[in-house]
Amino acid sequence: MKIRPRRSVLYMPGANDRALEKAKSLPADALILDLEDSVAPEAKPEARDKVIAAVKSGGYGRRELIIRINAIETPWGADDLKAAAAAGPDAILVPKVSRPGDMASAAKLLKAYGAPNHTRLWAMMETPLAILNARDIASVAGDAESRFSCLVLGTNDLLKESRARALGDRFAIIPWLAGSVLAARAFGLDVIDGVYNDFKDEMGFKAECEQGRTLGMDGKTLIHPSQIEPCNRIFSPSEEEVSWSRKVIQAFALPEHKSKGVITVEGRMVERLHLVMAERVVAIWEAIAR
Ligand code: COA
Ligand code: MG
């Protein structure tokens, strides 16, 4: 089972040298080096140069490196994509995706620009159309040439575009988050929750991490280093989950259970689908430990 933990995915402004350097020592699973919304128009070319240099120079260890480019139709988008393709990060995050064609054409451009095969594509789900088209957008992943591997929720943009109220429990946007999780799962994609802006509110942040995990998110996008540690903890399987999963795996491995579809473990019905779930929990636990 090939699993990459994506519990904590930290954004940083591409123009911020200090953040790019500091990220080398932060315990985030993935880093999004941003060229889009956190970079002012006049700083765009400079940020692009800094991000490309950071990716090329390395020093980020096992952390997954993602470059968020500007939308292709902006004055910077095409140059961003070309430069990112040449730098070959783990992934390129395409903002403001609204239709399946947006991902298909980004994949074609990446190929034309000679991006290495390991460079995958991630999509920001942050427009009303993206939510309405989530299934069709995710279905692009069915084409192996698409490089498509992950959805990222852009909750600030969704609140802006929808005019929904940003209340603490995310009442208004829960259906869109849940729909994105289903679209991702239907086509084998990972899916990462949106950011929590009030980075000094640890209680509120933890509650939102729990909510995202309950919805099925693989992790959460973050804006500040202080959010990494609680996020990693909440998106890791708990010790109880791991020990239960091991019991399920061991039970199905017993000679008398090898050919059974359903068994009892500690008084609970356990089917082979639970075995598959248990194997995933243990695999992600082991990947985290590595
Ligand atoms: N990535 C890496 N390092 C970060 C960071 C980030 N996102 N945010 C802060 N840091 C570093 C700071 O450089 C500082 O490092 P130092 O003390 O070793 O010099 C340390 O963490 C503490 O930072 P702090 O002073 O608490 O925050 P700040 O006032 O400098 O910055 C923000 C606050 C919100 C502006 C900043 O966290 C940020 O830019 N976040 C990302 C925003 C973003 O990318 N948005 C786009 C997607 S929504
Ligand atoms: Mg956005």
Side-chain angles (χ1 to χ4, degrees):
M1 214 182 282
K2 191 171 147 270
I3 286 185
R4 192 145 192 183
R6 289 177 175 142
R7 299 164 298 169
S8 49
V9 181
L10 178 67
Y11 281 105
M12 64 207 59
N16 185 337
D17 293 310
R18 178 72 200 131
L20 291 175
E21 190 53 36
K22 194 175 175 76
K24 293 177 180 169
S25 65
L26 295 172
D29 289 335
L31 308 170
I32 299 179
L33 317 183
D34 187 28
L35 302 178
E36 201 218 10
D37 284 349
S38 70
V39 179
E42 53 282 8
K44 297 278 188 194
E46 186 200 344
R48 185 192 301 133
D49 292 346
K50 284 183 176 170
V51 163
I52 299 305
V55 170
K56 284 190 178 156
S57 72
Y60 292 93
R62 281 179 172 273
R63 296 168 192 82
E64 204 168 5
L65 286 186
I66 299 98
I67 299 178
R68 182 164 78 171
I69 61 171
N70 288 282
I72 302 294
E73 56 276 13
T74 65
W76 315 282
D79 289 342
D80 287 351
L81 188 62
K82 200 169 194 172
D90 293 295
I92 293 170
L93 175 55
V94 184
K96 313 283 188 313
V97 169
S98 284
R99 296 177 180 79
D102 297 340
M103 293 312 285
S105 46
K108 280 195 191 122
L109 283 172
L110 268 193
K111 191 173 181 186
Y113 293 149
N117 200 38
H118 70 255
T119 299
R120 306 280 94 190
L121 276 175
W122 292 18
M124 287 299 304
M125 300 292 283
E126 57 183 344
T127 68
L129 262 182
I131 299 302
L132 293 171
N133 291 335
R135 172 191 173 144
D136 294 337
I137 291 169
S139 76
V140 172
D143 175 3
E145 296 270 289
S146 72
R147 301 170 182 249
F148 200 178
S149 70
C150 193
L151 303 181
V152 179
L153 272 299
T155 42
N156 282 328
D157 272 288
L158 282 170
L159 287 167
K160 167 179 169 266
E161 298 299 323
S162 65
R163 300 183 206 146
R165 287 174 81 191
L167 298 181
D169 61 1
R170 300 201 290 182
F171 171 81
I173 68 171
I174 290 289
W176 312 336
L177 303 178
S180 300
V181 171
L182 281 184
R185 300 298 173 231
F187 296 97
L189 296 168
D190 274 356
V191 53
I192 315 293
D193 204 352
V195 299
Y196 190 79
N197 298 335
D198 190 359
F199 62 86
K200 300 222 160 103
D201 172 13
E202 197 187 334
M203 290 275 283
F205 173 71
K206 284 183 182 166
E208 203 173 278
C209 287
E210 292 283 358
Q211 188 190 49
R213 186 165 179 217
T214 300
L215 286 167
M217 299 283 175
D218 294 293
K220 190 164 179 68
T221 44
L222 311 176
I223 50 169
H224 193 274
S226 64
Q227 296 180 321
I228 299 172
E229 192 272 329
C231 182
N232 279 345
R233 196 156 12 86
I234 291 168
F235 281 97
S236 299
S238 67
E239 279 181 29
E240 298 83 73
E241 282 174 275
V242 175
S243 90
W244 169 255
S245 298
R246 291 210 165 107
K247 277 181 201 158
V248 170
I249 293 168
Q250 282 158 10
F252 269 111
L254 292 172
E256 63 269 34
H257 291 157
K258 275 228 153 89
S259 56
K260 288 203 174 150
V262 58
I263 59 175
T264 304
V265 179
E266 293 183 354
R268 280 155 71 177
M269 179 193 78
V270 177
E271 295 178 304
R272 290 213 166 249
L273 68 93
H274 298 112
L275 173 62
V276 174
M277 291 164 75
E279 285 168 344
R280 186 165 201 286
V281 168
V282 171
I284 203 143
W285 175 258
E286 286 170 354
I288 288 165
R290 278 198 295 278

Coordinates of all heavy atoms in Angstrom, one line a residue, residues 91-139:
A91 N 4.5 18.5 -6.4 CA 3.2 18.8 -7.0 C 3.1 20.3 -7.3 O 3.8 21.1 -6.7 CB 2.0 18.4 -6.2
I92 N 2.2 20.6 -8.3 CA 1.8 22.0 -8.6 C 0.4 22.2 -8.3 O -0.4 21.3 -8.7 CB 2.1 22.3 -10.1 CG1 3.7 22.3 -10.3 CG2 1.6 23.7 -10.5 CD1 4.1 22.3 -11.7
L93 N 0.0 23.2 -7.5 CA -1.3 23.4 -7.1 C -2.0 24.5 -7.9 O -1.5 25.6 -8.0 CB -1.3 23.8 -5.6 CG -2.7 24.2 -4.9 CD1 -3.7 23.2 -5.1 CD2 -2.4 24.6 -3.4
V94 N -3.0 24.1 -8.6 CA -3.7 25.0 -9.6 C -4.9 25.7 -8.8 O -5.7 25.0 -8.3 CB -4.3 24.2 -10.8 CG1 -4.9 25.2 -11.8 CG2 -3.2 23.4 -11.4
P95 N -4.8 27.0 -8.8 CA -5.9 27.8 -8.1 C -7.1 27.9 -8.9 O -7.1 27.7 -10.2 CB -5.3 29.1 -7.8 CG -4.4 29.3 -8.9 CD -3.8 28.0 -9.3
K96 N -8.3 28.3 -8.3 CA -9.5 28.7 -9.0 C -9.9 27.7 -10.1 O -10.4 28.1 -11.1 CB -9.3 30.1 -9.6 CG -8.7 31.2 -8.7 CD -9.7 31.7 -7.7 CE -9.3 32.9 -6.9 NZ -8.0 32.9 -6.2
V97 N -9.7 26.4 -9.8 CA -10.2 25.4 -10.8 C -11.7 25.5 -10.8 O -12.3 25.6 -9.7 CB -9.7 24.0 -10.3 CG1 -10.4 22.9 -11.1 CG2 -8.2 23.9 -10.5
S98 N -12.3 25.4 -11.9 CA -13.8 25.5 -12.0 C -14.4 24.4 -12.8 O -15.6 24.0 -12.7 CB -14.3 26.8 -12.5 OG -14.2 27.8 -11.5
R99 N -13.6 23.9 -13.8 CA -14.1 22.9 -14.7 C -13.1 21.8 -14.9 O -11.9 22.0 -14.7 CB -14.4 23.5 -16.1 CG -15.4 24.5 -16.1 CD -15.6 25.2 -17.4 NE -16.7 26.2 -17.4 CZ -16.5 27.4 -16.9 NH1 -15.3 27.8 -16.5 NH2 -17.5 28.3 -16.8
P100 N -13.5 20.6 -15.4 CA -12.6 19.5 -15.6 C -11.5 19.9 -16.5 O -10.3 19.5 -16.4 CB -13.4 18.3 -16.2 CG -14.8 18.8 -16.1 CD -14.9 20.1 -15.6
G101 N -11.8 20.7 -17.5 CA -10.8 21.1 -18.6 C -9.7 21.9 -18.0 O -8.6 21.9 -18.5
D102 N -9.9 22.6 -16.8 CA -8.8 23.3 -16.2 C -7.7 22.4 -15.8 O -6.5 22.7 -15.9 CB -9.3 24.1 -15.0 CG -10.4 25.1 -15.3 OD1 -10.4 25.5 -16.5 OD2 -11.1 25.5 -14.4
M103 N -8.1 21.2 -15.3 CA -7.0 20.3 -14.8 C -6.4 19.6 -16.0 O -5.2 19.3 -16.1 CB -7.6 19.2 -13.8 CG -8.0 19.8 -12.5 SD -6.7 20.9 -11.8 CE -5.5 19.7 -11.2
A104 N -7.3 19.2 -17.0 CA -6.8 18.5 -18.2 C -5.8 19.4 -18.9 O -4.7 18.9 -19.4 CB -7.9 18.1 -19.1
S105 N -6.1 20.7 -19.0 CA -5.1 21.6 -19.8 C -3.9 21.8 -19.0 O -2.8 22.0 -19.6 CB -5.8 22.8 -20.3 OG -6.6 23.4 -19.4
A106 N -4.0 21.9 -17.7 CA -2.8 22.1 -16.9 C -1.8 20.9 -17.1 O -0.6 21.0 -17.2 CB -3.1 22.3 -15.4
A107 N -2.4 19.7 -17.1 CA -1.6 18.5 -17.4 C -0.9 18.5 -18.7 O 0.2 18.1 -18.8 CB -2.5 17.2 -17.2
K108 N -1.7 19.0 -19.7 CA -1.1 19.0 -21.1 C 0.1 20.0 -21.1 O 1.2 19.8 -21.7 CB -2.1 19.5 -22.1 CG -3.0 18.3 -22.5 CD -3.8 18.7 -23.8 CE -4.9 17.6 -24.0 NZ -6.2 18.2 -24.0
L109 N -0.1 21.2 -20.4 CA 1.0 22.2 -20.4 C 2.2 21.6 -19.7 O 3.3 21.8 -20.1 CB 0.5 23.5 -19.7 CG -0.4 24.4 -20.6 CD1 -1.0 25.5 -19.7 CD2 0.4 24.9 -21.7
L110 N 2.0 20.9 -18.6 CA 3.1 20.3 -17.8 C 3.9 19.4 -18.7 O 5.1 19.4 -18.7 CB 2.6 19.6 -16.6 CG 2.4 20.3 -15.3 CD1 2.2 19.3 -14.2 CD2 3.6 21.1 -15.0
K111 N 3.2 18.6 -19.5 CA 3.9 17.7 -20.4 C 4.7 18.4 -21.4 O 5.9 18.2 -21.7 CB 2.9 16.8 -21.0 CG 3.5 15.6 -21.8 CD 2.4 14.6 -22.3 CE 3.1 13.5 -23.0 NZ 2.1 12.6 -23.6
A112 N 4.0 19.5 -22.0 CA 4.7 20.3 -23.0 C 5.9 21.0 -22.5 O 6.9 21.1 -23.2 CB 3.7 21.3 -23.6
Y113 N 5.9 21.4 -21.2 CA 7.0 22.0 -20.6 C 8.0 21.1 -20.1 O 9.0 21.5 -19.4 CB 6.6 23.0 -19.4 CG 5.7 24.2 -19.9 CD1 4.7 24.7 -19.1 CD2 5.9 24.8 -21.1 CE1 4.0 25.8 -19.4 CE2 5.2 25.9 -21.5 CZ 4.2 26.4 -20.7 OH 3.5 27.5 -21.0
G114 N 7.8 19.8 -20.3 CA 8.8 18.8 -19.9 C 8.9 18.5 -18.4 O 10.0 18.2 -17.9
A115 N 7.8 18.7 -17.6 CA 7.9 18.4 -16.2 C 8.3 17.0 -15.9 O 7.8 16.1 -16.6 CB 6.6 18.8 -15.5
P116 N 9.1 16.7 -14.9 CA 9.4 15.3 -14.6 C 8.1 14.6 -14.2 O 7.1 15.2 -13.7 CB 10.4 15.4 -13.4 CG 10.2 16.8 -12.8 CD 9.7 17.7 -13.9
N117 N 8.2 13.3 -14.3 CA 7.0 12.4 -14.1 C 6.5 12.5 -12.6 O 5.3 12.4 -12.4 CB 7.3 11.0 -14.5 CG 6.0 10.2 -14.7 OD1 5.0 10.8 -15.3 ND2 6.0 9.0 -14.3
H118 N 7.4 12.7 -11.7 CA 7.0 12.7 -10.3 C 6.2 14.0 -9.9 O 5.6 14.0 -8.9 CB 8.2 12.6 -9.3 CG 9.1 13.8 -9.3 ND1 10.3 13.8 -9.9 CD2 8.9 15.0 -8.7 CE1 10.9 15.0 -9.7 NE2 10.0 15.7 -9.0
T119 N 6.2 15.0 -10.7 CA 5.5 16.2 -10.4 C 4.0 16.0 -10.7 O 3.5 15.8 -11.8 CB 6.0 17.4 -11.2 OG1 7.4 17.6 -10.9 CG2 5.2 18.7 -10.9
R120 N 3.2 16.0 -9.6 CA 1.7 15.7 -9.7 C 1.0 17.0 -9.7 O 1.6 18.1 -9.5 CB 1.3 14.9 -8.5 CG 2.0 13.6 -8.2 CD 1.5 12.5 -9.1 NE 2.3 12.4 -10.3 CZ 2.0 11.6 -11.4 NH1 0.9 10.9 -11.4 NH2 2.8 11.6 -12.5
L121 N -0.3 17.0 -10.0 CA -1.2 18.2 -10.0 C -2.2 18.1 -8.8 O -2.8 17.1 -8.6 CB -1.9 18.3 -11.3 CG -1.2 18.9 -12.4 CD1 -2.0 18.8 -13.7 CD2 -0.8 20.4 -12.2
W122 N -2.3 19.2 -8.1 CA -3.3 19.4 -7.1 C -4.3 20.5 -7.5 O -3.9 21.4 -8.2 CB -2.7 19.8 -5.7 CG -1.9 18.7 -5.1 CD1 -1.3 17.6 -5.6 CD2 -1.5 18.7 -3.7 NE1 -0.6 16.9 -4.7 CE2 -0.7 17.5 -3.5 CE3 -1.7 19.5 -2.6 CZ2 -0.1 17.2 -2.2 CZ3 -1.1 19.2 -1.4 CH2 -0.4 18.1 -1.2
A123 N -5.5 20.4 -7.1 CA -6.5 21.4 -7.5 C -7.1 22.1 -6.3 O -7.5 21.5 -5.3 CB -7.7 20.7 -8.2
M124 N -7.2 23.5 -6.4 CA -7.9 24.3 -5.3 C -9.4 24.2 -5.7 O -9.8 24.5 -6.8 CB -7.5 25.7 -5.4 CG -6.1 26.1 -4.9 SD -5.8 25.8 -3.1 CE -7.1 26.6 -2.2
M125 N -10.2 23.8 -4.7 CA -11.6 23.8 -4.8 C -12.1 25.0 -4.0 O -12.2 25.0 -2.8 CB -12.2 22.5 -4.1 CG -11.7 21.2 -4.8 SD -12.3 21.0 -6.5 CE -13.9 20.4 -6.1
E126 N -12.3 26.1 -4.7 CA -12.6 27.4 -4.0 C -13.5 28.3 -4.8 O -13.7 29.4 -4.4 CB -11.3 28.1 -3.8 CG -10.4 28.4 -5.0 CD -9.1 29.0 -4.7 OE1 -8.9 29.5 -3.6 OE2 -8.2 29.0 -5.6
T127 N -14.1 27.8 -5.9 CA -15.2 28.6 -6.6 C -16.5 27.8 -6.5 O -16.5 26.6 -6.4 CB -14.8 28.8 -8.0 OG1 -14.9 27.5 -8.7 CG2 -13.4 29.3 -8.2
P128 N -17.6 28.6 -6.6 CA -18.9 27.9 -6.6 C -19.0 26.8 -7.7 O -19.5 25.7 -7.5 CB -19.9 29.0 -6.8 CG -19.2 30.2 -6.2 CD -17.8 30.1 -6.5
L129 N -18.4 27.2 -8.9 CA -18.5 26.2 -10.0 C -17.7 24.9 -9.6 O -18.0 23.8 -10.0 CB -17.9 26.8 -11.3 CG -18.9 27.3 -12.3 CD1 -18.2 27.8 -13.5 CD2 -19.9 26.2 -12.7
A130 N -16.5 25.1 -8.9 CA -15.8 23.9 -8.6 C -16.6 23.0 -7.7 O -16.5 21.7 -7.8 CB -14.5 24.3 -7.8
I131 N -17.3 23.5 -6.8 CA -18.2 22.7 -5.9 C -19.3 22.0 -6.7 O -19.5 20.8 -6.5 CB -18.7 23.5 -4.7 CG1 -17.6 24.1 -3.9 CG2 -19.6 22.7 -3.8 CD1 -16.6 23.1 -3.3
L132 N -19.9 22.8 -7.6 CA -21.0 22.2 -8.4 C -20.4 21.1 -9.3 O -21.1 20.1 -9.7 CB -21.7 23.3 -9.2 CG -22.5 24.3 -8.4 CD1 -23.0 25.4 -9.3 CD2 -23.7 23.6 -7.7
N133 N -19.2 21.3 -9.8 CA -18.6 20.4 -10.8 C -17.6 19.4 -10.1 O -16.8 18.8 -10.8 CB -17.8 21.2 -11.8 CG -18.7 22.0 -12.7 OD1 -19.8 21.6 -12.9 ND2 -18.1 23.0 -13.3
A134 N -17.7 19.3 -8.8 CA -16.6 18.5 -8.1 C -16.5 17.1 -8.7 O -15.3 16.6 -8.9 CB -17.0 18.4 -6.6
R135 N -17.6 16.4 -8.9 CA -17.5 15.0 -9.5 C -16.8 15.0 -10.8 O -15.9 14.2 -11.0 CB -18.9 14.5 -9.6 CG -19.0 13.2 -10.3 CD -20.5 12.9 -10.7 NE -20.5 11.7 -11.5 CZ -21.5 10.9 -11.4 NH1 -22.5 11.0 -10.5 NH2 -21.5 9.8 -12.2
D136 N -17.1 15.9 -11.7 CA -16.5 15.9 -13.1 C -15.0 16.3 -13.0 O -14.2 15.8 -13.7 CB -17.3 16.9 -14.0 CG -18.7 16.3 -14.3 OD1 -18.9 15.1 -14.1 OD2 -19.5 17.2 -14.6
I137 N -14.7 17.3 -12.1 CA -13.3 17.7 -11.9 C -12.5 16.5 -11.4 O -11.5 16.1 -12.0 CB -13.2 18.9 -11.0 CG1 -13.8 20.1 -11.6 CG2 -11.7 19.1 -10.6 CD1 -14.0 21.3 -10.7
A138 N -13.0 15.8 -10.4 CA -12.2 14.7 -9.8 C -12.1 13.6 -10.8 O -11.1 12.8 -10.8 CB -12.9 14.2 -8.5
S139 N -13.1 13.4 -11.7 CA -13.0 12.3 -12.6 C -11.9 12.4 -13.6 O -11.5 11.4 -14.2 CB -14.4 12.2 -13.4 OG -14.4 13.2 -14.4

